[in-house]
DNA sequence: AGGCTTTTTTTCGAGCCTCGAAATAATTAA
DNA sequence: TTAATTATTTCGAGGCTCGAAAAAAAGCCT
């Protein structure tokens, strides 16, 4: 069943730990790495020497602000930007973008395109995706900075192996094996990730203090998404990307949801639901798919100006989210929550009813203590999450194994 | 942050792996252990020799049915029953029991007591618990079979460290630090675990095929409990024993729950709720705490005989559980479910409405494929779960480290 | 300026651990 | 009785981490 630890695993893991420490801390000295990993100085010295010889890390003696301390100054090691490149691509409603990122995490080039995703054929959507990646990787020096990984974030559901987009609201076509398609095209490993999961990943890199072992990111947009980190690990479903918070049931057999079922949280708190309620449209009618962020912004302004119907629509949305979080908290205990996406701009209208609902649930015993953070613009987070996802893959799955490559030469992707 | 792997960890982990393989497989040969752990024969040989010398394992050459194969016969190794003992104790409504178990998992002695837990003072409850453990460990040969671990299962909520019973329906007293109390009394490590979590642990040992990486155990009794295994690990809350499925919200601001809040699943599917609905009592009235399993049995019989109100009460219960599972499945994807406890005897009345509700949720896309199992008597499961919890602790936290003890002498508990 | 102190990093030998190959052990088949 | 077969142990090689000592690279002090 569970597999024993072999002798060579040990080195691999400790190399991975060193790389992770450098990526986290930026420019740590060997001594600092030894402290954070609890490995001995000798071991760190040996591993660091190997990694530098392989071109993964590089010494950077920028003297810094120059520590005015007594003894031999620490010499900082950092990630060698030229060790690799990765592509972080994001496919969302009517928009497709890709970024080429170097190994240290710096964006080298970026491509963004508007396209009518809902109207595109399956083939056209795939072709556009390939094209935008091709555009961003074109013309770089393939010898010195090999492309080692592509991560594509999508709105919607992926399979557990992160290889196939099972379903997405941005296109009528499902079961698109982006992973295999891009892999065939570019010859390197590719994963397809849920956008909310990438948001969670990014939040942790941005603010590891607040978003540490357990937290939740809720994306309020046309639909409702969620990314969760529990026990320090991204929590996904057992067979899919999971975390379909928006489709937990708020009111059994209640309002009609975009997914065709009834009573989902999204059917009360998604943009279209808020619009439907604010305009007094029946709960069981289908609403056009093109309620824009601007429409919601206008509704929020109306609500703030005293429009009763609009105010009530946001109240209903807040309550739905609150009861949903309360049910979730009953299972996993309360955790910090980030409200991400355009909906965060109406958080002032939502927060009260939401906290009120949470307080009426089992998870709400300390509802006053649950802290919410808002990040209105989700796209940078999604890009960052993809970037870190791809880079840590390279760190752990390629460079941690190391060994085979000559000095300065990255491993062929086939080893990944 | 994350800590590097040292050289000695390696041995400890591989020893743990060998012990685990023996506990799982019963009487494997060294060759079989090598196969399941993917370690080399030499390594297994060395580790097995150590463990046998330490008295943890023992060769058992019972010839068995004697394999009629050609070469040298395999020699089976098994757990040495005399390596240790543990106590598995269960505190539930009006009942307290403790079992003394040897290292191979065989029950040596058992004590069961009836007591009116709701009426006992905090001190009396603690005293009774200590007494029942003392009774069961009394008079054994402490030299040869050291007592290394006590696990106490309770109905209710514990803290994350499994040291304190935070709240329980069986007593008005909360925040009882059973762990510290028993530890002070018996001088060995003690944990306090939620009963439903122990049920989940036990199910996995009983049927590892069906209850493998991901599954759910729902306890239907006076209240509604849940134990969940995700990714092969018991899933608990981040700060408590978690999994308070019964207090997810079924209908916002709905029926009055025993917890004082409104609309919890339990307020529709707990014994008291079924009784309340069957008797046409208002949803917001408090029901006596002493609805017995017999009362529910009688209601179930009435429902089967055509009593409309009773039938409707079970329908409501099934629907509440179904929507709850559906919401849960939206987050984690469907998984096998075991319905445990007396309520399983009315599963025929519950199943239809429950499946109907699940089918109307996002998790229900394949609701027909979700399989349910029923186990009416939960007590044996809880005992088994505690037992395995305690034994695997001894396996991994005490014997896997090994080393210090002389041959045949178990380690002192202080090392735990 | 030159020696001294302090701190960081590298070097070196010791001690474990796992592995593969070879040796040994315990049976059955012929 | 011998050969064949399978299981287990033994043995030497190769890796890895560790602690201690050495080397390196400063600042401090007279």
């Amino acid at each position: 069943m569970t597999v024993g630890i072999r002798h060579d695993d040990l080195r691999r893991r400790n190399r991975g730990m060193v790389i992770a420490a450098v990526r986290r801390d930026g420019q740590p000295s060997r001594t600092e790495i030894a402290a954070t990993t609890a490995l001995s100085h000798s071991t760190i010295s040996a591993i660091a020497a190997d990694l530098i010889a392989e071109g993964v890390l590089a010494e950077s003696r920028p003297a810094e602000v120059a520590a005015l301390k007594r003894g031999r100054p620490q010499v900082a090691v950092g990630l060698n930007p030229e060790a690799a490149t990765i592509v972080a691509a994001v496919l969302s409603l009517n928009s497709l973008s890709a970024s080429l990122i170097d190994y240290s995490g710096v964006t080298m080039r970026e491509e963004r395109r508007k396209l009518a995703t809902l109207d595109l054929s399956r083939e056209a959507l795939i072709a556009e995706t390939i094209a935008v990646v091709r555009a961003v990787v074109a013309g770089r020096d393939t010898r010195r900075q090999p492309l080692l990984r592509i991560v594509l974030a999508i709105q919607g559901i992926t399979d557990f192996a992160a290889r196939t987009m099972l379903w997405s609201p941005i296109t009528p076509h499902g079961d698109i094996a982006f992973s295999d398609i891009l892999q065939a095209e570019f010859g390197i490993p590719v994963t397809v990730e849920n956008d909310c999961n990438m948001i969670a990943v990014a939040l942790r890199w941005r603010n590891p203090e607040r978003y540490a072992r357990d937290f939740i990111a809720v994306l309020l947009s046309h639909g409702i998404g969620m990314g969760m980190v529990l026990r320090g690990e991204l929590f996904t479903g057992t067979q899919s990307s999971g975390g379909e918070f928006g489709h937990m049931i708020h009111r059994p057999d209640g309002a009609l949801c975009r997914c065709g079922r009834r009573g989902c949280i999204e059917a009360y708190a998604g943009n279209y639901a808020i619009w439907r309620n604010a305009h007094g449209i029946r709960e069981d009618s289908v609403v056009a798919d093109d309620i824009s962020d601007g429409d919601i912004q206008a509704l929020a302004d109306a609500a703030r100006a005293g429009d009763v119907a609009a105010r009530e629509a946001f109240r209903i949305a807040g309550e739905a989210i609150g009861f949903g979080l309360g049910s979730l908290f009953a299972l996993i205990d309360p955790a910090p929550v980030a409200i991400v996406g355009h909906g965060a701009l109406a958080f002032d209208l939502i927060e009260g009813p939401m906290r009120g609902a949470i307080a009426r649930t089992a998870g709400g015993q300390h509802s006053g203590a649950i802290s919410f953070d808002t990040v209105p613009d989700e796209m940078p987070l999604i890009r960052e999450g993809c970037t870190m996802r791809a880079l840590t893959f390279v760190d752990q799955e390629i460079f941690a194994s190391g060994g085979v490559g000559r000095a300065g030469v990255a491993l062929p992707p086939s080893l990944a």
Side-chain angles (χ1 to χ4, degrees), chain A:
Chain A
M1 194 78 78
T2 353
V3 107
I5 301 186
R6 306 253 205 53
H7 211 187
D8 35 325
D9 295 338
L10 208 152
R11 221 337 148 58
R12 186 162 46 72
R13 292 211 200 187
N14 285 342
R15 281 170 59 106
M17 218 134 266
V18 170
I19 298 174
V22 175
R23 188 168 295 286
R24 243 194 344 262
D25 300 346
Q27 300 270 306
S29 69
R30 289 170 176 77
T31 306
E32 285 164 357
I33 299 172
T36 60
T37 59
L39 294 168
S40 74
H41 283 200
S42 356
T43 303
I44 299 302
S45 184
I47 291 177
D50 285 355
L51 289 172
I52 290 171
E54 292 167 24
V56 176
L57 303 183
E59 286 194 352
S60 53
R61 138 181 338 283
E64 306 277 319
V65 198
L68 297 165
K69 289 182 309 180
R70 217 51 178 345
R72 173 174 177 173
Q74 305 186 342
V75 11
V77 289
L79 302 163
N80 176 7
E82 305 196 342
T85 59
I86 59 95
V87 168
V90 182
L91 175 58
S92 54
L93 187 67
N94 296 333
S95 137
L96 172 62
S97 73
S99 311
L100 181 69
I101 319 268
D102 76 21
Y103 187 57
S104 70
V106 173
T107 302
M108 304 169 69
R109 197 171 318 144
E110 198 166 302
E111 277 277 325
R112 302 191 192 189
R113 299 186 181 178
K114 292 275 161 225
L115 68 176
T117 50
L118 282 168
D119 303 328
L120 286 181
S121 70
R122 166 188 296 261
E123 291 67 31
L125 188 65
I126 291 171
E128 288 285 354
T129 307
I130 292 175
V132 75
V133 174
R134 191 187 299 288
V136 86
V137 301
R140 74 186 200 297
D141 181 347
T142 49
R143 200 56 63 78
R144 295 197 35 215
Q145 288 187 292
L147 180 66
L148 294 184
R149 186 77 169 180
I150 300 171
V151 170
L152 172 65
I154 57 149
Q155 274 177 51
I157 303 178
T158 75
D159 67 324
F160 180 63
R163 305 200 63 76
T164 301
M165 184 191 85
L166 299 175
W167 174 88
S168 170
I170 66 141
T171 171
H173 312 292
D175 283 314
I176 304 183
F178 277 115
S179 215
D180 297 331
I181 291 164
L182 291 170
Q183 199 152 331
E185 193 67 27
F186 296 97
I188 54 169
V190 181
T191 59
V192 187
E193 311 272 355
N194 171 272
D195 57 348
C196 293
N197 286 341
M198 293 305 97
I199 288 172
V201 168
L203 285 170
R204 195 140 72 121
W205 281 98
R206 274 201 189 173
N207 186 353
E209 306 276 303
R210 175 175 166 82
Y211 301 110
R213 279 175 62 76
D214 304 290
F215 65 90
I216 293 168
V218 177
L219 176 62
L220 300 184
S221 177
H222 199 72
I224 309 276
M226 163 175 282
M228 247 190 305
V229 169
L230 299 177
R231 308 294 149 74
E233 287 197 15
L234 195 59
F235 182 87
T236 63
T238 57
Q239 296 157 56
S240 74
S241 49
E244 286 297 304
F245 176 73
H247 299 286
M248 288 175 76
I249 300 298
H250 173 47
R251 294 188 185 275
D253 303 317
L256 182 65
C257 179
R258 170 168 74 142
C259 71
R261 286 172 288 257
R262 292 175 155 277
C264 303
I265 291 174
E266 189 177 298
Y268 296 90
N271 279 357
Y272 66 90
I274 294 174
W275 195 87
R276 184 167 61 186
N277 284 328
H279 288 80
I281 298 171
R282 285 177 45 196
E283 274 196 346
D284 57 357
S285 38
V286 177
V287 182
D289 238 4
D290 56 1
I291 311 296
S292 73
D293 284 341
D295 294 333
I296 295 299
Q297 191 90 34
L299 271 184
D301 288 339
R304 290 189 195 100
D307 180 324
V308 175
R311 204 166 185 84
E312 175 67 2
F314 282 106
R315 188 194 67 74
I316 290 172
E319 196 176 79
I321 295 168
F323 277 114
L325 286 176
S327 285
L328 183 56
F329 289 162
L331 293 173
I332 63 163
D333 298 321
V337 177
I339 304 289
V340 181
H342 207 80
L345 294 174
F347 189 64
D348 56 319
L349 296 166
I350 288 173
E351 181 173 8
M354 183 182 71
R355 284 192 187 273
I358 292 177
R360 280 175 276 161
T361 68
Q365 283 154 309
H366 316 95
S367 60
I370 301 169
S371 72
F372 294 91
D373 222 9
T374 58
V375 185
D377 190 1
E378 76 271 21
M379 279 304 291
L381 279 173
I382 298 174
R383 270 192 215 100
E384 269 177 59
C386 285
T387 299
M388 296 322 297
R389 190 79 167 168
L391 289 174
T392 50
F393 173 89
V394 173
D395 290 349
Q396 300 303 315
E397 304 299 322
I398 303 183
F399 289 159
S401 304
V404 186
R406 251 194 320 104
V409 177
L411 291 174
S414 57
L415 277 186

